Amino acid sequence: MMIPHGVRMNRLSTARLAAALTLACSVAACNPVQSPRGPIPLVMPPPLTTLGAHRLVPTPVSVTPDDGAPFVLTATTAIVVPVGGGEASRVGGMLAALLRPASGFVLPVAAGDGAPPRGAIVVRLGGPASLGPEGYELTVSADSVRIVAVEPAGLFHGVQTFRQLLPAGIEGQHHAVRMASAWTVPPGRIVDRPRFAWRGAMLDVARHFFTVYEVKQYIDLLAMYKMNTLHLHLSDDQGWRIQIDSWPKLTTVGGITEVGGGPGGFYTKDEYAELVRFAGQRFITIVPEIDMPGHTHAAIASYPELGCSKPTPATQTGTAGSYTGTEVGWSTLCPDKDVTYRFVDDVVREISAMTPGAYFHVGGDEVQGLTAEQYASFVERTQEIVYKYGKTMVGWEEVGKARLRPTSIAQQWKSDSALLALRQGAKLIASPAPKAYLDMKYTPTTELGLDWAGLVELRTAYDWDPVTYLPGVAEQSVIGVEAPLWTETVQNITAAQYMTVPRLPAIAEVGWSPASERSWDGFRARIAAHAPRWRLLGINFYPSPQVDW
Ligand code: TNX
C-alpha cells in the first residue's frame, strides 16, 4: 500500500499541536487507571489450567500441553545454572530478581551440572541448533522447569515465556499484596524461535527528550515481548541528544530545546553507555540514529557553518535560533562543504566507538532542499564513513535513491522508495506507517498522536505481514519489523506507553511468530490477559474497544 503523495505533508498544524500538547496529560493518556470508558477494574485472570490455554504474546512456534499436576514455585525452588555459566547464570539471576517482588521468595541461583534437585528451574545452554540464536525450549513438569537454548538470548526469551505463564500477579511489585493463591504453571513443552532477526521499536528522543530512567522503562517493555532492537532517534530539527566531544555545542546549544519550547536534554557518554549496558543485559541492541542530511536544524543552530537550509518555518517559537515547531523537510546540511564531512566523520566515529551493536542509522528521510545528485552523493559519502568505523548502515527508505552497498539496510515507512533499495540487494526493515507507526492516533478522538498515515487501531497494527505488505518482496529480503514512536505530541513515558501498548505487543508478534500461528482472534483473546500485568507494572495503555479486557 502506498500513501498518496501529499497526504502526509499536512500532518500537524500548529494549532492542533498546541491543543495536543495542552491535553498531553489529561485523563486517558496519562492516568493508568482511567480509560475513555471509565476506570478499568483490576481483575486478575484465573491461573492457567492447561498450557493449551496460554495467553502468550508473541505466540510461540509450538505448544504441547501435558496432563498432570502443575509446577509450583515455592520458597524452596532453586534456580540451577551451569557451573561457570557466565551469561546463562546471569539470566538465571534475572529470573530470580523477576520472581522476587511478588512472591517474596529469595530464590537461590545455584551452579550445578549434575541432576538438578526436585522442584528446580534449570536454565542451561544446549538444545538443537535448529533453535537458532534466539530460540529456546521450555519444558514444565510437576517436578521441574527446564529452559534450554543455544545462546543466552534464547534463555532470556524463555524466561519471558515462563514469566507470562505464571499467574499475572507475578508482576506485582509488592510482596505485601499477594496477587495469587499459588504460583503454578501447567505442564507441557514449548519450542520457540523468532521468524525475523530484527524486532524493534524506535523512540524519538529528539522531538521530546526522554530521560535515561524513562528509556529504561521502554527497554523493559520491549524485553517482555521478545523485541531485540531499540532504535534511538537521537537528533532532529528540535534537539540534539548525544554528547559529542569534538563538537560540544551540539549539546550545549542544540540539546536544550524541544517541541513546544520545553527544556530538552541530552545523554552524556556515560548515560548512553548505561543505556547500552541496560539494553544489553536484556539482549536488546541499541541502534543510534543521527538523522542526516535533513532534520538537522539543531546541529546547524549549534554550528551555522554546517547549514544550507531553507529559512526556518514560521512555526518557530524558540529563542537563539532554536526550532520548536513540527514542520519537516526544510533543514539540510550543506552537501558540498568539507566541514560537513568532517562533522559527519567525527559524529559517526564517536558514536560508533560507544555503540557495541553492528548498526549506525543515518536517517536520510524527507530532504527537500537538495537536488537528487546532491542527496545521493551525501548518502554515498556518509555510507563510506559508516563502514570505515565498522558499522553497517541503516537508513530510511529514501537512501535507496543513492548507490547502496549490498549490506546496507533500508527502513520502509512510506513504501515509495523501498524497492529501489531492494533492487540493489539491500535488506528491508518493515515499518509501514499505516501499520507500524505508534504515533498515529488509534481513533479520531485519541488525544495524542498524528493521523497523516491513517488511524491505527490495534487490529490494524496486528493484521499485516511484513513480507506480503509490499508486492515483490521475498521473505529473505526482510530482516524484520520495527515500530517507530515519533514524539511531536508525546511528552513523557506515560504518554509514550499509552501510544505503545497494546500496539507494540501486536508488532512484536508480527515479528516473532510464524504467520501460520497468527490470527487476530487469537491475539485479541490473549492480549486481554496482559492488561492486569501492565496495571501491576504501572504501564499505561490504551484499552482498545476491539478487545474484551
Ligand atoms: C515522518 S517517518 C517522519 C518524522 C515525523 C513522522 C511523524 C520519517 C522517516 N520521518 O520526521 O516525526 O513522520 O509521524
Side-chain angles (χ1 to χ4, degrees):
M1 191 204 304
M2 307 260 239
I3 298 165
H5 219 70
V7 170
R8 60 180 310 281
M9 296 326 288
N10 180 26
R11 63 163 86 94
L12 194 63
S13 73
T14 311
R16 283 178 58 207
L17 175 69
L21 291 179
T22 44
L23 283 171
C25 267
S26 76
V27 177
C30 289
N31 183 336
V33 182
Q34 297 285 333
S35 83
R37 295 177 300 157
I40 296 191
L42 178 55
V43 179
M44 303 305 281
L48 291 180
T49 51
T50 163
L51 218 50
H54 75 80
R55 285 75 156 254
L56 293 167
V57 174
T59 200
V61 170
S62 93
V63 177
T64 314
D66 273 348
D67 295 333
F71 175 83
V72 186
L73 185 78
T74 71
T76 59
T77 302
I79 296 177
V80 178
V81 297
V83 175
E87 286 282 273
S89 308
R90 193 177 61 70
V91 173
M94 288 183 90
L95 173 60
L98 194 67
L99 300 176
R100 182 168 177 176
S103 69
F105 304 152
V106 186
L107 305 184
V109 179
D113 291 329
R118 274 200 62 159
I121 303 175
V122 181
V123 175
R124 188 166 283 170
L125 293 175
S130 58
L131 291 174
E134 291 191 284
Y136 64 90
E137 282 176 4
L138 170 67
T139 314
V140 181
S141 71
D143 265 2
S144 70
V145 172
R146 291 177 56 86
I147 303 174
V148 177
V150 179
E151 301 280 349
L155 295 177
F156 185 79
H157 297 319
V159 162
Q160 299 309 314
T161 294
F162 180 65
R163 166 188 187 181
Q164 288 192 18
L165 292 173
L166 282 161
I170 200 64
E171 309 295 352
Q173 299 302 300
H174 304 282
H175 174 51
V177 186
R178 254 186 96 70
M179 302 297 288
S181 48
W183 304 112
T184 59
V185 177
R189 181 177 168 81
I190 292 179
V191 182
D192 201 11
R193 58 172 291 169
R195 177 177 173 195
F196 294 108
W198 182 301
R199 303 175 310 280
M202 186 209 79
L203 184 60
D204 170 8
V205 296
R207 269 51 176 274
H208 280 102
F209 181 64
F210 289 74
T211 63
V212 168
Y213 180 67
E214 288 177 309
V215 177
K216 285 182 175 179
Q217 291 175 66
Y218 213 66
I219 290 171
D220 270 330
L221 181 64
L222 266 57
M224 189 172 172
Y225 292 101
K226 302 188 175 74
M227 282 194 159
N228 64 4
T229 308
L230 176 63
H231 164 183
L232 287 176
H233 183 74
L234 289 168
S235 67
D236 213 302
D237 292 322
Q238 300 87 349
W240 183 283
R241 306 297 179 213
I242 180 78
Q243 178 186 348
I244 301 292
D245 294 332
S246 52
W247 297 74
K249 285 196 282 186
L250 289 172
T251 45
T252 57
V253 176
I256 58 170
T257 54
E258 62 186 0
V259 168
F266 63 89
Y267 309 119
T268 64
K269 288 195 165 178
D270 284 348
E271 287 170 332
Y272 182 80
E274 171 61 12
L275 286 177
V276 165
R277 185 197 65 81
F278 187 89
Q281 284 189 328
R282 288 151 183 78
F283 301 92
I284 290 174
T285 301
I286 301 267
V287 176
E289 177 188 352
I290 296 297
D291 201 348
M292 303 177 281
H295 291 273
T296 39
H297 180 75
I300 295 164
S302 312
Y303 294 98
E305 63 270 32
L306 296 172
C308 276
S309 302
K310 297 194 205 165
T312 313
T315 55
Q316 167 173 350
T317 54
T319 53
S322 70
Y323 180 66
T324 59
T326 61
E327 305 287 311
V328 298
W330 51 277
S331 62
T332 182
L333 298 175
C334 234
D336 309 320
K337 288 192 197 164
D338 285 346
V339 63
T340 296
Y341 298 96
R342 282 208 303 281
F343 168 79
V344 174
D345 195 286
D346 285 336
V347 167
V348 174
R349 174 174 51 77
E350 290 197 32
I351 294 178
S352 295
M354 51 180 162
T355 302
Y359 305 100
F360 192 101
H361 199 306
V362 301
D365 58 316
E366 302 185 306
V367 183
Q368 289 166 14
L370 302 182
T371 65
E373 295 69 35
Q374 284 178 315
Y375 175 80
S377 127
F378 177 88
V379 170
E380 287 158 22
R381 283 184 75 171
T382 299
Q383 176 172 244
E384 291 318 300
I385 293 169
V386 168
Y387 283 92
K388 176 169 102 183
Y389 292 114
K391 300 298 179 197
T392 296
M393 187 179 87
V394 186
W396 296 105
E397 65 179 82
E398 288 97 317
V399 298
K401 297 173 183 164
R403 260 197 311 272
L404 294 181
R405 294 210 196 189
T407 52
S408 292
I409 298 170
Q411 185 164 10
Q412 168 200 356
W413 63 285
K414 54 182 180 166
S415 311
D416 65 357
S417 33
L419 290 177
L420 292 177
L422 264 192
R423 280 190 212 115
Q424 305 189 56
K427 299 240 187 293
L428 285 190
I429 299 165
S431 302
K435 294 292 184 183
Y437 266 31
L438 302 177
D439 64 319
M440 291 302 118
K441 291 177 182 293
Y442 293 96
T443 72
T445 59
T446 309
E447 296 155 290
L448 305 183
L450 312 180
D451 59 7
W452 63 264
L455 300 170
V456 183
E457 245 294 3
L458 182 58
R459 183 171 188 165
T460 306
Y462 183 80
D463 251 346
W464 64 288
D465 185 276
V467 175
T468 59
Y469 184 82
L470 257 190
V473 176
E475 177 105 17
Q476 333 58 279
S477 296
V478 178
I479 165 168
V481 295
E482 194 178 288
L485 179 61
W486 301 100
T487 60
E488 285 94 332
T489 65
V490 180
Q491 299 194 60
N492 56 44
I493 189 67
T494 313
Q497 289 166 345
Y498 185 80
M499 300 306 281
T500 298
V501 186
R503 287 184 291 198
L504 180 128
I507 305 283
E509 181 155 309
V510 170
W512 178 284
S513 306
S516 58
E517 298 302 312
R518 295 215 285 121
S519 77
W520 162 249
D521 286 340
F523 176 77
R524 179 178 177 274
R526 282 178 281 112
I527 199 66
H530 291 236
R533 294 175 187 265
W534 303 328
R535 293 284 296 280
L536 291 174
L537 288 164
I539 296 172
N540 195 16
F541 65 98
Y542 164 65
S544 166
Q546 298 180 328
V547 173
D548 297 324
W549 299 103

